[in-house]
Amino acid sequence: MTEDVLEPYRGQLTGYCYRMLGSAFEAEDAVQETMIRAWRGMDRFEGRSTLRSWLYRIATNVCLTMLESRKRRARPMDLTAAGSPEHPPGAPLAETTWVEPIPDTLLDPADLAEARESVRLAFVAALQHLPPRQRAVLILREVLSWRASEVADLLDTTVPSVNSALQRARATLATHRQTAPRQLTPDDENLLSRYLEAFEAYDLDALTALLHEEATLSMPPFDLWLRGTGHIRAWLTGHGAGCRGSRLIPTRANGSAAFGQYRPGGEPWALQIIETRDGKVTAINAFLEVKRWFPLFGLPLDLSAAA
């Protein structure tokens, strides 16, 4: 068995570890550690389970170790009530505070097509409320459609224990999960094109007309977030007015449309992940630590130099 046999599993393992950990960087580290352990242990792999099951067992153990004594990651909406546009964002919080975005390019295309909703930011944030083993059970059973007996074998437990953990996980998730956006349709693509045009023109009449009345704007690493078209518009004309003249470069994150935002002069400013529902933009998730995010998404750190 060679490394080439392991590599086809990288994308699906990355998706699994991302859902477990809430961080693309930690997911990549977990998958790399999984591959190293698998390569070193190939002579002990006796084929009593499938290679896929064996790799997921290793990945689960890696993730459970990484999650020991660690606070859960969250979104700004999980930490504070909606803020006011008159207030500045305050001090940034540590990167380990946040559920972070992941490029679609790191995920397995088949997994992304079948379970797109399960990598949305809101769903991944909801998963972080679960104890790690319950989180693994729910992902394996509900997202990846493993049989209870397979999960029991992977976790060295019993089928009744798996079923009990799944019931508890479902109950917890039901209290935290937000309404998930649908898979993008041609109408949504048109909406996103209009969003890009309105944002680049800084036509706030056109832009706010595209927003759901209860749309949210969040800006990690700050915990300040806003709800409603009025507050979002007030922010864009106040503290956020420096966004005027920005250029947006399309990309993909978390199974959603996204844009690299550059301020005038080519300065990178934010990774925007856009959520839509029923013909409206429901959320603008603006991740501001661009030196961390743009290289991961293949976006230049200086648009003027790239041009």
Side-chain angles (χ1 to χ4, degrees):
M1 190 182 298
T2 67
E3 288 183 80
D4 292 341
V5 176
L6 302 179
E7 195 60 29
Y9 294 92
R10 184 177 294 274
Q12 58 184 279
L13 288 170
T14 300
Y16 174 63
C17 293
Y18 173 68
R19 295 176 182 104
M20 286 289 292
L21 301 169
S23 165
F25 294 103
E26 289 187 357
E28 285 192 302
D29 289 345
V31 172
Q32 191 60 30
E33 177 64 19
T34 297
M35 294 297 190
I36 290 171
R37 292 188 188 184
W39 172 247
R40 290 175 176 170
M42 278 182 179
D43 58 338
R44 297 190 299 275
F45 176 60
E46 300 174 353
R48 287 178 294 184
S49 64
T50 65
L51 177 59
R52 179 172 181 261
S53 297
W54 184 58
L55 290 173
Y56 271 86
R57 174 189 285 268
I58 297 171
T60 300
N61 289 333
V62 170
C63 289
L64 292 177
T65 298
M66 292 175 70
L67 288 167
E68 288 178 357
S69 304
R70 199 194 75 177
K71 293 182 178 180
R72 70 175 178 88
R73 290 178 178 268
R75 302 177 77 189
M77 300 78 148
D78 300 320
L79 302 181
T80 65
S84 172
E86 297 85 37
H87 297 151
L93 301 183
E95 64 189 39
T96 53
T97 305
W98 308 112
V99 168
E100 299 179 326
I102 188 168
D104 283 9
T105 53
L106 291 184
L107 303 172
D108 180 69
D111 181 33
L112 189 61
E114 295 172 4
R116 182 182 301 272
E117 304 302 332
S118 69
V119 292
R120 304 292 196 191
L121 287 169
F123 184 80
V124 175
L127 287 173
Q128 307 312 301
H129 289 275
L130 302 176
R133 285 178 68 86
Q134 280 188 29
R135 197 180 308 172
V137 167
L138 186 131
I139 296 167
L140 291 166
R141 290 282 284 120
E142 299 270 282
V143 176
L144 302 180
S145 300
W146 284 41
R147 295 191 299 272
S149 58
E150 294 175 312
V151 179
D153 182 63
L154 183 146
L155 293 174
D156 293 322
T157 188
T158 65
V159 168
S161 294
V162 167
N163 290 336
S164 176
L166 180 59
Q167 289 179 349
R168 295 195 303 273
R170 284 171 173 166
T172 301
L173 204 63
T175 66
H176 295 286
R177 188 175 180 182
Q178 302 178 23
T179 302
R182 298 170 293 103
Q183 187 168 340
L184 287 176
T185 67
D187 286 343
D188 293 320
E189 298 289 358
N190 178 263
L191 171 65
L192 293 164
S193 295
R194 291 158 58 204
Y195 174 87
L196 184 153
E197 292 171 3
F199 198 99
E200 289 191 337
Y202 224 62
D203 182 343
L204 297 186
D205 288 336
L207 183 63
T208 54
L210 301 176
L211 303 180
H212 187 280
E213 62 181 7
E214 292 294 311
T216 60
L217 169 64
S218 60
M219 298 161 282
F222 304 106
D223 62 5
L224 176 68
W225 64 282
L226 306 170
R227 183 189 296 280
T229 54
H231 278 187
I232 293 174
R233 180 171 183 144
W235 176 268
L236 293 174
T237 57
H239 289 290
C243 292
R244 184 182 299 275
S246 291
R247 183 179 173 191
L248 302 183
I249 304 299
T251 184
R252 299 284 306 180
N254 294 79
S256 301
F259 299 101
Q261 178 191 346
Y262 296 82
R263 282 187 166 183
E267 175 194 6
W269 187 252
L271 175 71
Q272 294 188 15
I273 302 178
I274 309 299
E275 297 173 16
T276 65
R277 188 174 69 250
D278 301 329
K280 294 287 186 178
V281 172
T282 57
I284 304 169
N285 307 283
F287 291 85
L288 302 181
E289 293 181 314
V290 290
K291 290 184 179 179
R292 179 173 169 80
W293 296 117
F294 276 32
L296 185 67
F297 281 79
L299 293 165
L301 285 172
D302 184 346
L303 195 60
S304 60

